Amino acid sequence: MKKFLISILMFVIMICSGCSTPGVTKKDSSSAGKQTELTISAAASLNDALAEIKSVYEKKHNNVHLSFNFGASGALEQQISQGAPVDLFFSAAKDKLDSLVQKGLIDKKQACDLVGNDLVLIVPKNEKEKVSRFEQLTDNNIKKIAIGTPESVPAGAYAKETLQNLRIWDNVQNKVVQAKDVRQVLSYVETGNVDAGLVYKTDALPSSKVKIVRTANEDTHQPIVYPLGIIKSSTHMKQAEAFYRFMQGDEALRILKKHGFKGLKQ
C-alpha cells in the first residue's frame, strides 16, 4: 500500500509540473522558430524606403518582424528618453540621436551616420504657379507656407534656418503653418490648403500632387544627416545588431538611394 501511495504521489507531481511521462520535458516558450519583433522608431520621411527594406529583410530573416514607429524625430527622441520600448532609432537629425548618446541610452560605438537628404520648396502641381524661388515667398499672393514645427521636426528646423539665412524669415513668419511632421506638410501642399511648403526631397518625389520648384543650397542650412543607432535597453540585442549591420550594407543603401536619399561624403 505504501509503495502504491508513493507512486500515486509521484504521478500527481509529474502532472502538476507539466511532465506526463518520465524523460519528456515541457517545451521552452523561447524555442528556435519563435518570431522576434524589432521596434524601430524612424523619421516620418523614411516611411516609403523602410517599407521596401522591411519586405526585403523579412524575406531573408523569417524569424524577425520589423515594426516601425514613424514620427517627428524630436518626438521620437522624447519617447525613447521616457522609456519607450524601442530597439533602434533612425533619426532625420544628428542632434536628436546625439542627445540619446549623451543620456547614455545609445552607445556611440553602435551608432552611425547613414544617409543624407535635400530640402526642397514645393507647390501644388495642378494650381497656377505662384512661386518658383524662395525669395518669392514674401509676395502678397502667397498667403500660407507649411513647415514642420522647428522645435521637434528636423525638416522644420532646416526650413526655418534656410529662410533666416536667406533673410526672409521675418517677412514670412506670419504666413507659416506648422505641422507635426514632414508628411503633414506634404499633405497640406497636396490638398492646396497652403500655397507652398518646405519638405525633404524624398517626400516630394513620390507625390504626383506636388511640384518641386527649388532645392535649398547646402550652405543655407546645417547638413541633413540621418543617423541610425541601437538602443542600449533593447531586449533583442542580437537581432538589433544584425539589422544595424544590414542597414549599412549595399542592398539597404541602394534602396535608400532609390528613394532619393544621398550617400554621405567621406
Side-chain angles (χ1 to χ4, degrees):
M1 176 63 72
K2 186 176 180 181
K3 288 183 178 181
F4 175 75
L5 290 174
I6 291 174
S7 297
I8 292 295
L9 181 61
M10 288 180 65
F11 178 75
V12 171
I13 291 172
M14 284 163 49
I15 292 296
C16 292
S17 63
C19 301
S20 57
T21 55
V24 178
T25 57
K26 187 179 180 181
K27 279 190 175 181
D28 185 350
S29 62
S30 62
S31 61
K34 181 181 178 182
Q35 195 172 55
T36 297
E37 181 173 355
L38 277 183
T39 301
I40 300 104
S41 284
S45 51
L46 288 159
N47 198 315
D48 295 335
L50 288 180
E52 184 172 348
I53 285 173
K54 171 185 170 73
S55 176
V56 171
Y57 192 80
E58 289 183 349
K59 283 179 182 177
K60 293 186 175 184
H61 304 81
N62 55 19
N63 63 329
V64 175
H65 171 67
L66 300 180
S67 178
F68 294 105
N69 175 32
F70 291 107
S73 296
L76 297 175
E77 182 260 321
Q78 285 298 315
Q79 291 172 10
I80 295 169
S81 295
Q82 293 166 10
V86 176
D87 298 295
L88 298 103
F89 180 36
F90 200 172
S91 174
K94 279 181 63 65
D95 65 327
K96 307 305 180 190
L97 189 140
D98 288 345
S99 173
L100 296 180
V101 172
Q102 292 166 6
K103 293 174 183 177
L105 300 177
I106 291 179
D107 186 339
K108 191 174 182 179
K109 294 178 180 178
Q110 290 186 308
C112 66
D113 295 340
L114 208 57
V115 288
N117 211 336
D118 285 316
L119 184 73
V120 297
L121 177 63
I122 60 172
V123 296
K125 190 169 186 177
N126 296 325
E127 291 188 13
K128 184 177 179 181
E129 188 173 308
K130 300 177 183 178
V131 58
S132 60
R133 53 194 179 90
F134 286 98
E135 288 77 8
Q136 289 178 304
L137 293 174
T138 61
D139 292 352
N140 292 332
N141 63 336
I142 303 300
K143 306 298 184 184
K144 293 181 181 179
I145 305 161
I147 69 171
T149 303
E151 292 73 25
S152 60
V153 183
Y158 296 130
K160 181 179 179 179
E161 183 184 9
T162 294
L163 297 175
Q164 286 175 326
N165 286 329
L166 291 173
R167 302 183 185 281
I168 60 174
W169 173 254
D170 291 341
N171 294 324
V172 302
Q173 188 174 358
N174 63 337
K175 303 179 182 183
V176 168
V177 176
Q178 297 188 5
K180 66 178 182 179
D181 58 40
V182 72
R183 287 304 173 98
Q184 190 172 64
V185 176
L186 179 68
S187 176
Y188 286 165
V189 181
E190 288 179 329
T191 54
N193 286 317
V194 298
D195 300 301
L198 280 78
V199 299
Y200 293 126
K201 182 180 180 180
T202 53
D203 293 291
L205 285 176
S207 175
S208 61
K209 299 177 181 179
V210 303
K211 177 167 56 175
I212 297 173
V213 294
R214 187 71 64 172
T215 299
N217 291 335
E218 291 184 357
D219 60 3
T220 62
H221 56 74
Q222 292 294 314
I224 301 175
V225 176
Y226 284 64
L228 173 68
I230 301 175
I231 308 301
K232 281 185 181 180
S233 60
S234 170
T235 55
H236 310 294
M237 188 58 69
K238 182 178 178 181
Q239 292 87 348
E241 288 175 345
F243 182 69
Y244 177 73
R245 290 191 299 271
F246 173 82
M247 290 300 295
Q248 297 174 71
D250 291 342
E251 188 169 18
L253 291 174
R254 186 165 54 249
I255 293 172
L256 287 165
K257 289 176 182 177
K258 186 180 89 171
H259 285 269
F261 291 93
K262 303 192 301 183
L264 297 175
K265 297 176 182 178
Q266 300 300 320

